């Protein structure tokens, strides 16, 4: 069975997951999808400027739990892994994941899992430098 791995659960990956599941994975018997994310929630970034102001939003208006949304997909076609991908070996097509037990941050002692892939989508978002350059 071929495996499509999606790294991340942000705005870009949400569309990739939904469209790929509907257009390819669910229609074929030889494909499955694995999503790897360090978070159990989808955060709607367009709402963030208002979310930081007191009284504008409550958490469930800009943060959505992923498991109820993703549970619509059959277990033999879809898997969600809570963890951080910290190594990608393109030669062997393997991703090393530090698993998060959901209690706290992923640390150096976290359990590891190796995930094989045939295709990988890296949609982990972006971050800025700690020091502004301008």
């Amino acid at each position: 069975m071929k495996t499509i791995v999606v790294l991340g659960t942000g705005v870009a990956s949400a569309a990739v997951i939904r469209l790929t599941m509907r257009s390819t994975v669910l229609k074929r018997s030889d494909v499955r999808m694995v999503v790897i994310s360090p978070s159990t929630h989808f955060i709607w970034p367009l709402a963030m400027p208002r979310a930081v102001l007191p009284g504008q939003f409550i958490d469930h208006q800009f943060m959505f739990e992923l498991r109820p949304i993703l549970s619509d997909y059959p277990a033999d076609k879809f898997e969600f892994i809570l963890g951080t991908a910290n190594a990608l070996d393109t030669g062997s097509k393997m991703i090393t994941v530090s698993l998060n037990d959901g209690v706290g941050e992923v640390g150096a002692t976290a359990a590891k899992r190796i995930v094989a892939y045939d295709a990988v989508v890296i949609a982990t978002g972006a971050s800025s430098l700690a020091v502004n350059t301008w």
Side-chain angles (χ1 to χ4, degrees):
M1 182 172 284
K2 300 224 182 265
T3 301
I4 301 167
V5 172
V6 178
L7 302 177
T9 51
V11 174
S13 59
V16 169
I17 293 165
R18 183 176 174 89
L19 292 173
T20 305
M21 285 299 295
R22 288 184 169 195
S23 68
T24 305
V25 177
L26 294 175
K27 292 183 178 183
R28 293 178 51 175
S29 62
D30 64 335
V31 180
R32 71 184 198 108
M33 179 179 284
V34 176
V35 173
I36 301 169
S37 177
S39 176
T40 58
H41 286 71
F42 171 82
I43 298 173
W44 186 244
L46 297 176
M48 293 313 291
R50 287 172 285 184
V52 297
L53 297 174
Q56 295 296 307
F57 282 111
I58 52 179
D59 288 353
H60 75 271
Q61 291 178 307
F62 66 92
M63 290 178 23
F64 305 94
E65 189 176 357
L66 292 169
R67 291 197 192 266
I69 297 165
L70 302 176
S71 67
D72 288 343
Y73 301 129
D76 64 325
K77 306 293 280 172
F78 184 87
E79 181 181 5
F80 177 79
I81 299 174
L82 181 62
T84 301
N86 51 16
L88 180 114
D89 184 338
T90 57
S92 65
K93 292 190 171 186
M94 299 282 188
I95 298 170
T96 304
V97 180
S98 294
L99 300 175
N100 182 346
D101 62 7
V103 177
E105 293 294 318
V106 175
T109 61
K112 306 274 190 226
R113 178 167 168 194
I114 304 296
V115 179
Y117 68 89
D118 294 286
V120 63
V121 176
I122 302 173
T124 55
S127 60
S128 61
L129 296 173
V131 178
N132 287 331
T133 57
W134 57 86

